[in-house]
Amino acid sequence: MEAIVADLDQRRHPFHVAIENFSHDLNIGTVVRTANAFLASEVHIIGKRRWNRRGAMVTDRYQHLRHHTDIEGLLRFAMQEELLVVAVDNADGAVPIETAVLPAKCLLLFGQEGPGLTPDARAGASLTVSIAQYGSTRSINVGVAAGIAMHTWIQQYGDFNS
């Protein structure tokens, strides 16, 4: 397992992913698994330390995870690491992700299923992007949204020759 992580560490992408976890969100495992698939640097979990690891399908063993007790801690980390925070939220004023240029070195920030991002999380973002939706639902599943956002980053910066 250590050899696999060491190999992955040599190829990780410079984007990070964060998700707020204030009500024990069951979608965190899906976000972790998808971050592993797209080789994100780290996944940050804000709020409750406990989450359902079943959805990660054991990828949490190969993906770097970091816990922050609150959004302020995450924002301090992002500033120290010079990561631009990109909120993914279908809020007023959001730039469509389909036309946005994501920062190469960024932290993609997601709210929990249902309430979305907290006001403090939205305020701490340098950019807010939304994902186009055409049906009757107000929002898509946060695990799906995370996959779309990570894939958008890959489309803009990924090395398709490896």
Side-chain angles (χ1 to χ4, degrees):
M1 191 170 71
E2 289 177 22
I4 294 169
V5 172
D7 178 59
L8 294 173
D9 285 348
Q10 296 196 24
R11 299 180 286 120
R12 287 192 196 277
H13 293 117
F15 74 89
H16 292 234
V17 178
I19 184 167
E20 292 184 305
N21 182 35
F22 297 108
S23 65
H24 196 63
D25 196 319
L26 298 175
N27 293 290
I28 292 174
T30 302
V31 173
V32 169
R33 182 178 179 188
T34 304
N36 175 268
F38 289 119
L39 210 52
S41 285
E42 273 186 280
V43 174
H44 302 261
I45 301 168
I46 309 150
K48 292 183 180 178
R49 187 174 288 277
R50 293 190 58 189
W51 55 280
N52 186 334
R53 294 179 185 267
R54 238 179 311 171
M57 303 289 294
V58 190
T59 59
D60 55 310
R61 295 181 187 172
Y62 306 102
Q63 181 62 55
H64 296 295
L65 303 173
R66 186 181 302 251
H67 179 259
H68 304 272
T69 55
D70 53 32
I71 191 68
E72 291 79 15
L74 174 76
L75 296 175
R76 275 192 305 277
F77 172 85
M79 189 178 353
Q80 290 168 350
E81 297 297 315
E82 299 179 349
L83 296 167
L84 291 176
V85 177
V86 178
V88 181
D89 195 356
N90 59 357
D92 290 338
V95 176
I97 197 168
E98 297 80 9
T99 60
V101 176
L102 299 176
K105 193 173 176 188
C106 68
L107 185 145
L108 300 169
L109 176 58
F110 302 89
Q112 66 185 15
E113 192 74 26
L117 288 168
T118 59
D120 289 342
R122 282 194 296 276
S126 300
L127 171 66
T128 300
V129 297
S130 61
I131 298 169
Q133 298 172 56
Y134 302 96
S136 61
T137 187
R138 185 187 74 76
S139 66
I140 58 175
N141 174 278
V142 69
V144 172
I148 291 168
M150 286 184 249
H151 189 262
T152 299
W153 189 97
I154 292 295
Q155 285 180 306
Q156 293 178 14
Y157 299 103
D159 178 3
F160 301 106
N161 297 314
S162 55

